[in-house]
Amino acid sequence: MQITLTRPDDWHLHLRDGDMLKGILPETTRDFGRAIIMPNLVPPVVTGEDAQKYRARIMAQLPEGSDFRPLMTLYLTEGTDPEDVALAAKSGLITAVKLYPAGATTNSDSGVKDIENVMPVLEKMAEIGLPLCVHGEVTDPSVDIFDREAVFIERVLAPLRTRLPDLKIIMEHVTTKDGVDYVSSSDNTAATLTTHHLIINRNHLLVGGIKPHYYCLPIAKRESHRLALVKAATSGNAKFFLGTDSAPHTDPAKESACGCAGVFSATNTMSCLAHVFENASALDKLEAFTSISGPAFYGLPPNASKITLTKQETPVAYPAKIETGDGPVTVFDPDFPLFWRVDQV
Ligand code: NCD
Ligand code: ZN
């Protein structure tokens, strides 16, 4: 069995910097044409100038012959200058701006505490048609970690949606049925779904011993939510597309008394997704999810090149870890063998 797809894009990716960037970049450029590059470096990518420099560091590490294009983003802070954002967008340097509620996830300390303080930037973005990527979780300590996405929709996203109907919003890494339902029924709003949230639920994380390599934010929810995500991804609804949120941390940083959040899935994402879509009898919807609906929402053409996915008799081999100059990074383990092989056409 073989299918041919337009080369996929990753609409939510962490490439990091330095030795880590160098070590993990080929894992993405092998299969993907473009990716939205998350700006949560230390210090974050805040200004157009920061993005220019970060883009140059990524380009310098591209494997030979790769025509991968990093789509840069700015990290929204309460000090962000709307004019700097507009300039970076106009020159084609950036594709989106990322909103992290302060303290919501890895390296989000410089994020937004009160959305009122960034309204001038958001208004400018709505005016010029620049999309906003949102980490949709409240940080209120009184809200349970499993409810933080649903509460964010109610407290922050829905009011913002009403206030700026022209702002293009991408609710990133949706993990709940609440998120799926909200996005399905809201204009000018789309969502990315990760590979791992289509595969694991919170039992994978917690039953039979704690599994740090399944810990990410937003945290995996109960099975009924996972099923809602699979249904959205495999439906062909153009509001839902792939953003792996592949987020490398070294093994010592994950396997720790206070382990970092992030799942690294760049290496085997396409094999995992073919498995999920085949199981849902929806292989014919895979290309829309990985290669068509994302560019359509961002107003970009699909990639010109193709890949093939071939189902083998024997499991495909992929490394358990990627060795980087920073240390080893464990690759996402879907907990079942993968039979779909990816080839470049
Ligand atoms: C991401 C990271 O490590 O940068 N971690 C994660 O669990 N997804 C940050 C993020 O996207 O929330
Ligand atoms: Zn992320």
Side-chain angles (χ1 to χ4, degrees), residues 78-328:
E78 296 191 353
T80 294
D81 172 9
E83 289 312 317
D84 182 56
V85 171
L87 215 64
K90 198 168 170 208
S91 71
L93 172 64
I94 60 163
T95 304
V97 169
K98 175 74 186 234
L99 187 162
Y100 290 101
T105 186
T106 309
N107 305 335
S108 62
D109 296 349
S110 336
V112 175
K113 293 192 182 76
D114 183 348
I115 197 128
E116 278 314 316
N117 296 333
V118 295
M119 281 314 285
V121 183
L122 301 181
E123 281 159 8
K124 180 54 105 179
M125 290 171 62
E127 184 193 316
I128 64 175
L130 185 66
L132 178 73
C133 297
V134 178
H135 184 110
E137 288 192 288
V138 292
T139 54
D140 178 345
S142 71
V143 178
D144 189 273
I145 187 169
F146 290 99
D147 299 333
R148 287 181 173 197
E149 184 171 293
V151 174
F152 183 87
I153 293 170
E154 184 191 308
R155 286 192 194 166
V156 184
L157 200 52
L160 176 64
R161 184 65 299 169
T162 310
R163 205 160 150 189
L164 289 177
D166 291 337
L167 180 64
K168 273 189 172 184
I169 297 180
I170 300 105
M171 193 178 171
E172 302 274 50
H173 41 49
V174 164
T175 60
T176 57
K177 181 172 188 303
D178 312 65
V180 168
D181 291 346
Y182 177 76
V183 168
S184 301
S185 64
S186 303
D187 289 341
N188 235 356
T189 309
T192 54
L193 297 168
T194 77
T195 308
H196 54 282
H197 287 116
L198 295 175
I199 293 174
I200 60 164
N201 61 33
R202 63 196 198 182
N203 281 12
H204 290 87
L205 176 66
L206 295 168
V207 173
I210 189 159
K211 315 289 191 322
H213 295 290
Y214 290 147
Y215 176 61
C216 68
L217 290 171
I219 198 158
K221 309 296 192 298
R222 64 171 64 239
E223 178 65 2
S224 55
H225 290 296
R226 188 190 71 84
L227 292 172
L229 304 183
V230 171
K231 198 168 160 199
T234 59
S235 66
N237 183 341
K239 284 172 162 285
F240 298 95
F241 44 84
L242 174 65
T244 64
D245 194 15
S246 183
H249 294 275
T250 62
D251 283 355
K254 295 284 297 172
E255 299 165 7
S256 147
C258 185
C260 292
V263 168
F264 179 73
S265 61
T267 305
N268 56 4
T269 271
M270 289 309 296
S271 297
C272 287
L273 291 174
H275 182 108
V276 169
F277 277 66
E278 183 187 19
N279 265 6
S281 306
L283 272 175
D284 60 324
K285 302 291 196 308
L286 181 58
E287 186 179 39
F289 182 68
T290 61
S291 319
I292 307 294
S293 301
F297 190 79
Y298 275 92
L300 296 168
N303 291 311
S305 55
K306 310 259 180 208
I307 62 165
T308 59
L309 291 163
T310 308
K311 194 170 182 192
Q312 310 184 155
E313 295 285 316
T314 51
V316 293
Y318 61 88
K321 294 176 196 299
I322 304 298
E323 297 298 337
T324 77
D326 249 7

